[in-house]
Amino acid sequence: MALRGRRNRNHTPDATPAAAEATPAPENAPETDPEDDGRRGHTGRLGTYAGRLGDYAGRLKAPAGPLGAPADAMRRRLREGGLGPVPVLLALAVTCVVFQALNDHFLSPRNLSVLSVDIVGTGMVAVGIVFVLLIGEIDLSVGSLAGLAGAVFAALNVNLGMPEWLAVLVAVLCGAAAGAVHGFSFARIGVPAFVVTLAGLLVWNGVSLYLLGPDSSINFSEDGLVASLTSRYFDSAVVVLGLPALCTAAYLLVSLHDRRRRAAAGMPCRPKGAIWARTALLALVAFSVVHVLSRFEGLPLALLILLAVIVVSDLLLRRTPYGRQFLALGGGAEAARRSGVDVARVRISVFMVSGTLAAVGGLFIVSRLTSASQISGSGVLLINAIAAAVIGGTSLFGGRGSTWSALLGVLIIQSIGSGMALLGVEPPAQFMITGGVLFIAVVVDSLTRRSAESRGRV
């Protein structure tokens, strides 16, 4: 047994490559065919080429670098239904094209100038509605608060002889105080926002009628401070050319600064090409609008004030911690509370913003009429303001939207109204068409939210 085991150990074949090469080939082994070796070499090279072609195909399918990222982002947004303002802009373009085809006066400088002033009152109220919708609530009192502000101003200025600037300040403070009452009742006492603002709609409408007196109307000076809000125009070359250039340059500098800051922090950032393209588009739109408006009377002061309010509100929402709390609250009150947000304080401040902007919008409406009456606080204003915010892209479910959506929405609503007025369409048809547009916007909003929920993004 010991000899057998020793013999087995001595005759164990060597498995090293050197030993394999030193072992002679058997006599009966088939000879290697050089052509077969060549075929195997070709096959290996073909496999290599196929792999390279696959890599090239993958690169073509998903381009890398600055071209691939926007394509992937667009595909993702299409799947999730979040295209931002693109559908609204397309709807606005279609509206303008249709009415211009039906009446060539629609895009005339005169009509566009009138339209740019008409949107200001409703636009101010709609911006306040956007704040309320962002937290997932509703404010039904904004129409009555707009009428209350006009009535307070007219009563103090005309009936009591108070200076206009002081009467304006008191009127705006009344709107803010009413909003604070609504917010406190909702946030601290627990009254549903729908109920408390519906009660405010009735109460403030009654106060307005009381202040207006038996005539239900108070006329004020056509040359005063409030009247000049919608009658003042700028036609100097410094304003006409300098203002759009300044706005475009400011947008470019802010965008480039944000890109540098995000890139330094290792966060995704917009490519420089996209920033320059957006800047060029903004410059084209800004100079075109200014050019058209300057052909009639110039840039309206009212439009400039509305744009300033929208820009400041947008900066507040997107670039301040306090503004981000609004969006966080719209995503869920309990989650916002656990993350450290003072829910009650934010809710009260939101309704104060809504009431303040409703009062400012009411002053622009009475400025247009140079008269305070029940018309300035009618239910049509409430409907148009809510419709403008929703049509512009602000979600009724909270957490999604911007103040620019108020501008886009009110442009669509007022464009439809202006176009149908030029065509001689009766007001009932205007209400039906506006209601249809609002219904479509709500359906799109609901489908977008459902798609986001199915993907776990809400």
Side-chain angles (χ1 to χ4, degrees):
M1 295 296 291
L3 292 175
R4 187 180 299 113
R6 189 181 299 113
R7 185 166 52 248
N8 289 342
R9 286 194 297 269
N10 293 336
H11 289 279
T12 301
D14 194 351
T16 61
E21 292 178 0
T23 304
E27 296 181 357
N28 298 329
E31 296 181 358
T32 58
D33 187 1
E35 294 183 1
D36 184 64
D37 292 340
R39 285 194 296 269
R40 283 198 296 268
H42 289 306
T43 303
R45 286 193 293 270
L46 288 175
T48 303
Y49 295 151
R52 292 178 180 177
L53 289 175
D55 294 340
Y56 293 150
R59 294 175 185 176
L60 291 175
K61 183 177 180 181
L67 295 179
D72 293 340
M74 180 59 69
R75 284 195 294 268
R76 184 173 63 254
R77 294 176 70 180
L78 283 172
R79 288 195 304 266
E80 297 171 358
L83 292 178
V86 174
V88 185
L89 293 173
L90 290 178
L92 180 60
V94 170
T95 301
C96 294
V97 169
V98 169
F99 283 118
Q100 178 65 18
L102 296 176
N103 191 314
D104 57 0
H105 293 292
F106 179 77
L107 294 180
S108 64
R110 178 185 181 86
N111 189 61
L112 292 180
S113 180
V114 173
L115 180 65
S116 67
V117 178
D118 288 341
I119 67 173
V120 175
T122 306
M124 287 286 185
V125 182
V127 172
I129 287 291
V130 168
F131 278 83
V132 180
L133 293 179
L134 284 176
I135 66 170
E137 300 298 337
I138 191 67
D139 189 351
L140 301 178
S141 67
V142 289
S144 297
L145 286 179
L148 175 64
V152 168
F153 164 77
L156 293 178
N157 176 246
V158 177
N159 296 343
L160 300 181
M162 182 179 291
E164 283 198 49
W165 68 269
L166 185 56
V168 168
L169 180 60
V170 173
V172 174
L173 290 177
C174 286
V181 171
H182 299 161
F184 182 84
S185 302
F186 167 57
R188 297 295 186 184
I189 301 177
V191 182
F194 179 87
V195 176
V196 68
T197 56
L198 179 61
L201 182 152
L202 300 174
V203 170
W204 308 127
N205 189 40
V207 174
S208 300
L209 293 176
Y210 175 79
L211 293 176
L212 293 175
D215 296 334
S216 299
S217 177
I218 300 177
N219 299 322
F220 51 86
S221 173
E222 297 182 359
D223 301 322
L225 173 64
V226 173
S228 65
L229 292 176
T230 55
S231 61
R232 178 75 181 274
Y233 293 84
F234 300 98
D235 56 358
S236 64
V238 175
V239 177
V240 171
L241 297 178
L243 188 60
L246 180 62
C247 294
T248 303
Y251 174 79
L252 177 61
L253 293 176
V254 171
S255 299
L256 292 176
H257 174 72
D258 286 347
R259 186 184 185 280
R260 287 194 299 268
R261 183 169 54 86
R262 295 176 69 88
M267 301 175 62
C269 57
R270 183 173 291 137
K272 285 187 177 180
I275 294 177
W276 283 101
R278 286 170 174 254
T279 304
L281 181 60
L282 175 62
L284 177 62
V285 173
F287 279 99
S288 299
V289 170
V290 170
H291 173 69
V292 172
L293 295 179
S294 63
R295 291 173 56 190
F296 180 61
E297 290 185 344
L299 283 176
L301 173 63
L303 179 62
L304 297 179
I305 294 176
L306 175 61
L307 292 177
V309 170
I310 291 175
V311 170
V312 172
S313 302
D314 182 66
L315 294 176
L316 172 66
L317 287 175
R318 295 192 301 111
R319 299 183 178 276
T320 63
Y322 186 63
R324 296 188 189 100
Q325 293 179 5
F326 297 163
L327 301 175
L329 186 57
E334 185 61 28
R337 182 181 292 108
R338 294 187 178 185
S339 63
V341 176
D342 189 344
V343 176
R345 181 172 64 92
V346 172
R347 284 174 170 172
I348 293 174
S349 61
V350 163
F351 281 94
M352 288 184 64
V353 170
S354 178
T356 302
L357 291 177
V360 174
L363 292 176
F364 276 95
I365 292 174
V366 299
S367 170
R368 192 69 168 153
L369 303 173
T370 63
S371 172
S373 63
Q374 190 177 2
I375 298 176
S376 58
S378 63
V380 177
L381 175 61
L382 169 64
I383 296 172
N384 287 340
I386 296 178
V390 176
I391 292 172
T394 301
S395 176
L396 282 170
F397 304 99
R400 180 171 59 85
S402 69
T403 53
W404 290 102
S405 62
L407 177 62
L408 296 176
V410 76
L411 277 174
I412 291 179
I413 291 177
Q414 293 292 347
S415 297
I416 293 175
S418 176
M420 288 189 294
L422 290 175
L423 297 176
V425 179
E426 297 296 329
Q430 299 183 23
F431 287 132
M432 289 187 287
I433 294 176
T434 304
V437 174
L438 175 60
F439 175 75
I440 294 173
V442 174
V443 169
V444 171
D445 180 33
S446 300
L447 294 177
T448 301
R449 182 176 178 83
R450 181 178 300 178
S451 175
E453 288 177 346
S454 66
R455 297 180 180 275
R457 296 179 61 88
V458 176

